[in-house]
Amino acid sequence: MTRSHTRSVLLAASAGLTAIALPSAAMAEGVPAGTPIDNTAEATYTIGGATETVPSNKVTVKVDEILDVAVQSLDAGEVVLTAAGAVLTFQVNNTGNGPEAYNIDVDPALTGDDFDPAIVKFAYDSNGNGVYDEGVDIVIPAGGSTPEIAADGSLRMFVITEFDGAAPGNGDTADVRLTATAVTGSGTPGTVFAGQGVDGVDAVVGLTTAIDDDIGTLIAQVSAVTLTKSATVLDPFGGSQTIPGSIVTYRLIARVSGSGSVDGLVVNDPIPVNTTYIPSTTRVGGVRLTDAADGDAVTADGTQVNVDLGTVAGGTSTIITFKVKIDE
């Protein structure tokens, strides 16, 4: 495919894209590519007492295209990766002086981190709303390129990731690099691609070598905690009416999902107003524990029940029960 045909296809694809300013990014380099610069000289002389002016021919040159790019991760910090996956966000900014498309490469296999995630796909923000929309934002195939980005324009990119095989440990991190390379060409600054710029001008590689990259970081969360609470009532008459003097038994289930473990898991339940905690009724996993702060998991002081479960493995559940009496 010729460059002119590529440009026409990509311009059609990029219709409606929003140019988003990058406060920290360099601006486009000077006069737009393809701009004609006209110049005419003149000579003035005197002959026979008359002054004559003779113009030169007009010389027109067109500004060549500079190929440059800046890539920036837009995530404020580490992005949490769970079994549901995660999205890293980047921005590709055209810092050259003419419209340019960029080849995109995503590399998850970097050294110095804890694990390598799988790259499901990467896409660009086709509706300009700043968030990834499944089935709406346009996927770029592996080895593919962005639509053309105007000089000073930018394009938001999304990299959709997931765990690759066995999940890593909680808190493990993974770095992912996104690289953008000018489709027209790249190389040592000053490298010329004759006739490959806007309107047939030359394209010249700028100071960035027409390649730039940035890294986004994922942090694994392979376990999660859910806490479910229920209550049963026994009234003074042997029924289940909630009346003064009734005994309420609260039951909490702390579930840890995933393949990892969680640390420092503490369940805290305040004693409800208008009820009184019944001493020594707290059980953990069916075992009655003391209320005093004496080294076991339970502390109950009449205002709250506190259960320190510590480190809990994924795939396990812990049942906690205790009783209160509705004040008479």
Side-chain angles (χ1 to χ4, degrees):
M1 183 180 291
T2 65
R3 173 167 172 88
S4 60
H5 181 58
T6 301
R7 286 189 179 279
S8 63
V9 171
L10 293 175
L11 280 171
S14 62
L17 291 176
T18 302
I20 306 171
L22 272 175
S24 60
M27 301 298 285
E29 301 187 30
V31 179
T35 300
I37 296 177
D38 298 328
N39 181 259
T40 304
E42 64 180 21
T44 301
Y45 63 97
T46 301
I47 185 170
T51 300
E52 302 288 343
T53 300
V54 178
S56 72
N57 58 297
K58 182 171 70 173
V59 174
T60 299
V61 296
K62 289 186 177 182
V63 176
D64 287 335
E65 180 177 346
I66 295 291
L67 303 172
D68 268 326
V69 62
V71 176
Q72 179 184 7
S73 170
L74 296 185
D75 298 314
E78 296 168 337
V79 175
V80 175
L81 175 60
T82 68
V87 178
L88 293 169
T89 305
F90 296 84
Q91 193 153 273
V92 177
N93 192 73
N94 180 0
T95 55
N97 66 341
E100 183 65 31
Y102 297 91
N103 293 321
I104 299 298
D105 177 70
V106 177
D107 184 5
L110 306 185
T111 60
D113 54 6
D114 300 317
F115 70 99
D116 295 335
I119 304 302
V120 179
K121 56 190 169 184
F122 45 95
Y124 66 87
D125 188 9
S126 58
N127 61 4
N129 68 352
V131 297
Y132 175 63
D133 297 309
E134 177 72 32
V136 175
D137 291 326
I138 297 178
V139 174
I140 296 176
S145 61
T146 69
E148 281 193 336
I149 304 172
D152 263 346
S154 53
L155 189 66
R156 196 173 300 247
M157 297 288 305
F158 304 113
V159 178
I160 295 84
T161 65
E162 65 182 16
F163 292 126
D164 188 4
N170 270 329
D172 284 354
T173 60
D175 293 330
V176 176
R177 176 185 288 119
L178 184 142
T179 302
T181 305
V183 167
T184 300
S186 59
T188 303
T191 300
V192 176
F193 296 93
Q196 295 301 300
V198 174
D199 295 333
V201 301
D202 293 342
V204 182
V205 174
L207 294 176
T208 66
T209 70
I211 303 174
D212 196 32
D213 64 78
D214 203 2
I215 291 174
T217 302
L218 300 164
I219 184 167
Q221 180 180 302
V222 297
S223 298
V225 176
T226 59
L227 186 62
T228 305
K229 186 174 183 178
S230 60
T232 58
V233 179
L234 177 64
D235 66 36
F237 308 108
S240 58
Q241 300 303 123
T242 308
I243 59 176
S246 293
I247 305 299
V248 181
T249 301
Y250 288 111
R251 185 174 188 262
L252 299 103
I253 304 176
R255 293 185 176 90
V256 179
S257 61
S259 59
S261 62
V262 298
D263 298 320
L265 178 57
V266 176
V267 177
N268 187 70
D269 197 342
I271 302 303
V273 176
N274 298 319
T275 70
T276 300
Y277 172 69
I278 301 176
S280 301
T281 58
T282 301
R283 293 174 179 266
V284 178
V287 178
R288 180 176 293 172
L289 300 178
T290 62
D291 293 341
D294 54 8
D296 66 19
V298 173
T299 303
D301 60 5
T303 64
Q304 63 181 358
V305 173
N306 183 280
V307 182
D308 185 351
L309 297 176
T311 299
V312 181
T316 61
S317 298
T318 304
I319 298 176
I320 302 166
T321 61
F322 66 92
K323 297 180 179 183
V324 301
K325 182 178 181 180
I326 299 176
D327 295 339
E328 298 180 88

